[in-house]
Amino acid sequence: FDKDGNLLGPDGKPLLGPDGKPFNKGAVGPNGQVYGPDGKPILDKDGKPLRAGLGPDPTTMKAMMGPPGTDKDGNILGPDGKPLLDKDGNPVKMTGKPYIGPDGALYGPDGKPLLGPDGKPLKCGLDKNGNPMFDKDGNLLGPDGKPLLGPDGKPFSQGAVGPNGSIYGPDGKPLLDKDGNPLKAALGAPLTDKNGNLLGPDGKPLTGADGKPLRDGPQALLGADGFPLKAGLGPDGKPRLGPNGELLGPDGKPLVGEDGKSLSVGNGPAVGPDGTVYGPTANLFWEWMESH
């Protein structure tokens, strides 16, 4: 953000939305941290940074992201907007795969909670890393360790999409691409109500210290620790770069994303005036919000 709270692009200039106006109402990072119109984290009444929703770890707050995007044929899309391909080069279908929220709740392609035969919302079991649990036959398990049953009384046995976008196949194992890397779906925008207020896992609008609902926004990139990345800045305010163009942190070491790979401005990240690193799809994210 700049000093006036406008969201900045990779060139350091305010990003403009579909209406030609800058984004100056704050943002929400993928770790759920909420930024206000001044570009600074919003605090609760105890002075602690607010984070949207509750993640698998009770001490960590997560934004409630929407289900993965798909094309007209039901193929799951990656961060580049193209269908994800498995190791055999085949597109991965969303059919039969529930999207699992950070608290284990199951959602359909429309973002609505999936219900069990008893009409109650379903939740799956999560391991210590927040990943969904399956049995040896690939059936999705509930918190009690037994297969979850859908509205039709049958278990979920065609895989799933985890809270971080990881895709699991019918055997309950992560699907890989042709290079042997786990496939990651591009998750949808955080869930909001009809007024654009950010929702928590309980389906209720999140509120700040002033009691007002919080609205959604674009996202900062996270490091392996789950917190927003910060680049080191030079005397001219520009991000420091390594010999190969990689972004360096305040400690002079290359910044590494959640996937363990180094980042460079050539890959699209935008660096704010305080060094915070934002994803390349921030403007697309806001266009999505403007259209809903």
Side-chain angles (χ1 to χ4, degrees):
F1 302 87
D2 63 16
K3 61 182 177 61
D4 297 317
N6 297 312
L7 186 67
L8 301 179
D11 58 1
K13 298 178 181 179
L15 280 174
L16 302 181
D19 57 1
K21 297 180 181 179
F23 300 109
N24 55 13
K25 296 181 180 179
V28 176
N31 72 333
Q33 183 148 324
V34 185
Y35 298 85
D38 58 359
K40 297 178 180 179
I42 295 179
L43 308 179
D44 64 16
K45 59 184 177 62
D46 298 317
K48 298 179 180 179
L50 281 172
R51 287 194 171 89
L54 183 63
D57 178 353
T59 65
T60 304
M61 304 304 282
K62 293 280 186 178
M64 190 60 222
M65 306 301 287
T70 58
D71 64 14
K72 61 183 178 61
D73 297 317
N75 300 314
I76 299 176
L77 302 178
D80 60 359
K82 299 178 181 179
L84 289 172
L85 303 179
D86 63 20
K87 61 184 178 63
D88 298 317
N90 299 314
V92 180
K93 299 284 186 181
M94 188 66 188
T95 305
K97 294 179 178 64
Y99 165 56
I100 299 167
D103 63 344
L106 272 62
Y107 297 86
D110 58 359
K112 295 181 179 180
L114 292 178
L115 308 178
D118 58 1
K120 296 181 180 180
L122 290 169
K123 277 194 177 184
C124 74
L126 300 173
D127 64 21
K128 63 180 181 180
N129 296 315
N131 300 315
M133 298 170 61
F134 300 84
D135 64 16
K136 61 182 178 61
D137 297 316
N139 297 312
L140 188 63
L141 300 179
D144 59 0
K146 298 178 181 179
L148 277 178
L149 301 181
D152 57 3
K154 297 179 180 180
F156 295 96
S157 59
Q158 298 185 43
V161 177
N164 66 349
S166 293
I167 305 174
Y168 300 85
D171 59 0
K173 297 179 180 179
L175 290 180
L176 309 178
D177 63 18
K178 61 182 178 60
D179 298 317
N181 299 312
L183 290 173
K184 283 283 185 77
L187 297 181
L191 301 180
T192 59
D193 63 17
K194 63 180 181 180
N195 297 315
N197 299 318
L198 187 70
L199 299 179
D202 60 0
K204 298 179 181 179
L206 294 161
T207 57
D210 58 2
K212 296 180 179 179
L214 300 175
R215 295 182 66 84
D216 204 3
Q219 306 176 29
L221 296 182
L222 301 184
D225 59 0
F227 289 93
L229 289 169
K230 282 216 172 186
L233 302 177
D236 58 359
K238 295 182 178 180
R240 294 183 182 276
L241 302 176
N244 297 315
E246 65 271 21
L247 282 172
L248 302 179
D251 58 1
K253 298 179 180 179
L255 287 178
V256 177
E258 285 187 297
D259 59 2
K261 298 179 181 179
S262 60
L263 301 170
S264 70
V265 289
N267 292 341
V271 179
D274 67 345
T276 300
V277 183
Y278 295 89
T281 58
N283 55 337
L284 298 177
F285 180 96
W286 275 95
E287 289 175 13
W288 187 96
M289 288 297 294
E290 291 288 339
S291 66
H292 283 69

